[in-house]
Amino acid sequence: MGAFKKLFQTGFFHIFGSSVINKILTFLSNVVLVRLISKEAYGVFTYAWNIYSLVLLLNGLGVVSGLLQLCSERADDRAYYDDLCRFGARVGLYADGALTVLLVLIGTLLPLSIPGGGRMIQALCLLPPLQFIFEWMTIYLRGQRRNREYAALNTVNTLCVCVCSILGAVAAREYGLVWGKYLALLLTFVYAGCVLRFPLFRLLGRPGAIDRTDRVDLVKISLLSMATNGLSQLLYLSDVFVLGIVDPNETILASYKVATTIPTALTFIPSAIAVYLYPYFARHNREKQWCIQHYKATLAAVGGLNAIISGGLFLFAPLLIRILFGEIYLDAVPVFRVLAVSYFFSGTFRTIAGNLMTTQRKLRFNFIVSAVSGPANILSNWFFIQWWGSMGAAATTLLIVLLTGFANTFYLFRCFGRLED
């Protein structure tokens, strides 16, 4: 009972509960959206959103990751905390202004393989700076361990995205999904300012004097984290991108996207746990026994839970697809089963270990793993998709997750073992 009480008091259940609610809402909205618009229109949106997501890997030059690490280490120094957040906001917004221009150029100049994709990418061009502001706000709350407010902000944003996307799809099909995302972020900002009293405009002001050492640390951690996370995210983005090149068919893209919906939605479980654990592992990042003991407990609990989830998804795949998405998407069942197995290894070994590696400042290892696995993922997708179609994309995901998951876990234990008692 004491452990549960501590978890409640420190906000774990708020974060985890918020993540559960958010993923349920997102999942249900995806189910509704699939039935509101045609398979072809959903395929066009999937294609454009995938390219947008690839560009967004450069979001804010990774400043939110750098802020989380540095602010978690010195959360009690409020002046330092606020000034560093102001400095990070300025860097991130300048970078995302460049991303807006890049999206316009991609949508205008590149000969994309799916008709209509270019115009939709142009419509998405103003989202990066708005998305950065939202992520920057959540990092500000997380670094101070204001987990209840963080959870509330995330939940309100998800609810706004779901409602606005559905209303937008009814009004304007795939383009309504885009306008819905804009409106959702604006409503989230209103909630943060009016209800949470988040000092948005004060924190977006001119920063105070930041020591050169702090600026260098922020830029170093941010850029390495951006590169690492970006290369890691290629695992989930390159499959649709390569599939759109090798086999540019809207219905195939739509079925593959449906197959990824549930496994992707379930990543909230390890992600929520990593979100909660990160500030604590960052604070105790030099205590060997504390780190080893808590990580072993986390690994055992998460592994058992994920084994049950993955097994259930594999067994009941046809029933789930039929009920949730309709008979038209039953061709997604084989891919869905492979991705269900992939979820177990990703959720148990890859995600949490990769996040906690940063608390040990082992950015170089994360970068090396991502630098190797990212290109390997693209090459594997290229060949496997030509041989096996969309099943090849799923097989690539499973292969890369296995390799990176075990590499991350092995090295994290090695890092903990080198700490002083």
Side-chain angles (χ1 to χ4, degrees):
M1 291 299 294
F4 279 97
K5 182 178 180 181
K6 183 178 180 180
L7 289 174
F8 182 83
Q9 291 174 341
T10 54
F12 171 77
F13 291 113
H14 294 86
I15 290 178
F16 193 80
S18 171
S19 297
V20 171
I21 294 171
N22 294 348
K23 291 304 180 181
I24 290 174
L25 289 172
T26 301
F27 174 73
L28 292 177
S29 70
N30 286 335
V31 171
V32 173
L33 291 173
V34 164
R35 294 179 179 272
L36 281 177
I37 61 179
S38 68
K39 197 172 185 179
E40 291 76 11
Y42 190 63
V44 173
F45 175 77
T46 297
Y47 177 74
W49 186 256
N50 181 259
I51 294 176
Y52 165 81
S53 299
L54 286 169
V55 172
L56 205 67
L57 296 179
L58 304 174
N59 189 24
L61 295 180
V63 161
V64 291
S65 297
L67 288 175
L68 178 60
Q69 178 66 25
L70 295 180
C71 290
S72 294
E73 292 177 353
R74 293 176 58 178
D76 297 329
D77 188 345
R78 186 60 178 269
Y80 167 87
Y81 194 101
D82 286 359
D83 281 337
L84 195 65
C85 284
R86 290 190 187 99
F87 177 74
R90 181 159 296 197
V91 173
L93 288 174
Y94 281 142
D96 279 10
L99 296 189
T100 292
V101 175
L102 178 60
L103 285 169
V104 172
L105 293 176
I106 290 174
T108 305
L109 301 179
L110 291 187
L112 301 177
S113 57
I114 301 294
R119 291 192 300 274
M120 188 163 292
I121 291 172
Q122 291 172 349
L124 291 164
C125 70
L126 295 177
L127 267 182
L130 296 177
Q131 184 66 33
F132 170 79
I133 292 174
F134 170 72
E135 293 177 5
W136 170 81
M137 292 167 65
T138 63
I139 290 300
Y140 184 84
L141 297 174
R142 278 183 63 190
Q144 293 186 333
R145 297 185 295 281
R146 293 162 60 181
N147 292 330
R148 298 185 184 188
E149 294 169 80
Y150 164 78
L153 186 63
N154 263 335
T155 300
V156 168
N157 175 253
T158 302
L159 181 62
C160 290
V161 169
C162 294
V163 173
C164 293
S165 295
I166 291 173
L167 294 177
V170 172
R173 299 177 62 208
E174 64 268 35
Y175 282 95
L177 298 178
V178 177
W179 312 134
K181 292 183 183 297
Y182 281 110
L183 180 58
L185 283 169
L186 294 176
L187 291 175
T188 301
F189 298 155
V190 171
Y191 168 81
C194 296
V195 179
L196 299 182
R197 302 296 181 185
F198 190 94
L200 179 60
F201 294 107
R202 177 175 67 82
L203 290 174
L204 288 177
R206 181 181 295 275
I210 306 292
D211 291 341
R212 184 177 183 278
T213 302
D214 292 330
R215 293 199 303 269
V216 171
D217 276 351
L218 178 62
V219 171
K220 178 182 177 181
I221 294 173
S222 299
L223 290 178
L224 280 173
S225 296
M226 180 192 70
T228 301
N229 293 335
L231 290 169
S232 178
Q233 285 299 311
L234 284 176
L235 177 65
Y236 303 103
L237 296 173
S238 65
D239 49 4
V240 173
F241 182 72
V242 176
L243 192 58
I245 295 175
V246 176
D247 194 0
N249 185 301
E250 295 93 332
T251 59
I252 291 177
L253 287 173
S255 292
Y256 188 82
K257 179 65 175 179
V258 162
T260 66
T261 298
I262 296 178
T264 300
L266 289 172
T267 58
F268 84 88
I269 296 173
S271 295
I273 294 171
V275 165
Y276 171 78
L277 292 175
Y278 190 100
Y280 296 97
F281 274 83
R283 175 160 290 197
H284 296 275
N285 64 356
R286 291 295 177 265
E287 302 173 26
K288 176 179 179 179
Q289 293 304 319
W290 191 98
C291 289
I292 293 176
Q293 177 185 347
H294 285 79
Y295 181 61
K296 282 183 176 180
T298 299
L299 198 61
V302 175
L305 177 61
N306 285 336
I308 296 172
I309 292 172
S310 294
L313 293 178
F314 191 93
L315 291 174
F316 298 107
L319 180 63
L320 290 170
I321 295 294
R322 182 181 293 108
I323 292 175
L324 296 173
F325 303 105
E327 297 278 346
I328 193 174
Y329 285 105
L330 279 176
D331 57 336
V333 168
V335 172
F336 178 87
R337 280 179 160 156
V338 174
L339 294 177
V341 176
S342 176
Y343 163 76
F344 169 78
F345 293 101
S346 177
T348 304
F349 301 103
R350 184 173 185 267
T351 302
I352 295 178
N355 277 273
L356 296 184
M357 200 87 68
T358 308
T359 67
Q360 299 296 308
R361 298 241 181 163
K362 299 301 180 181
L363 302 175
R364 183 174 298 178
F365 179 81
N366 267 348
F367 177 75
I368 291 172
V369 169
S370 298
V372 172
S373 63
N377 183 46
I378 295 174
L379 287 174
S380 298
N381 268 318
W382 181 262
F383 290 107
F384 287 2
I385 289 173
Q386 291 187 76
W387 297 338
W388 305 317
S390 57
M391 180 62 81
T396 292
T397 298
L398 176 57
L399 174 63
I400 300 300
V401 160
L402 280 169
L403 296 176
T404 56
F406 287 126
N408 285 352
T409 303
F410 173 80
Y411 191 75
L412 184 59
F413 270 119
R414 185 179 179 185
C415 291
F416 290 155
R418 290 177 174 178
L419 298 175
E420 296 181 1
D421 290 319

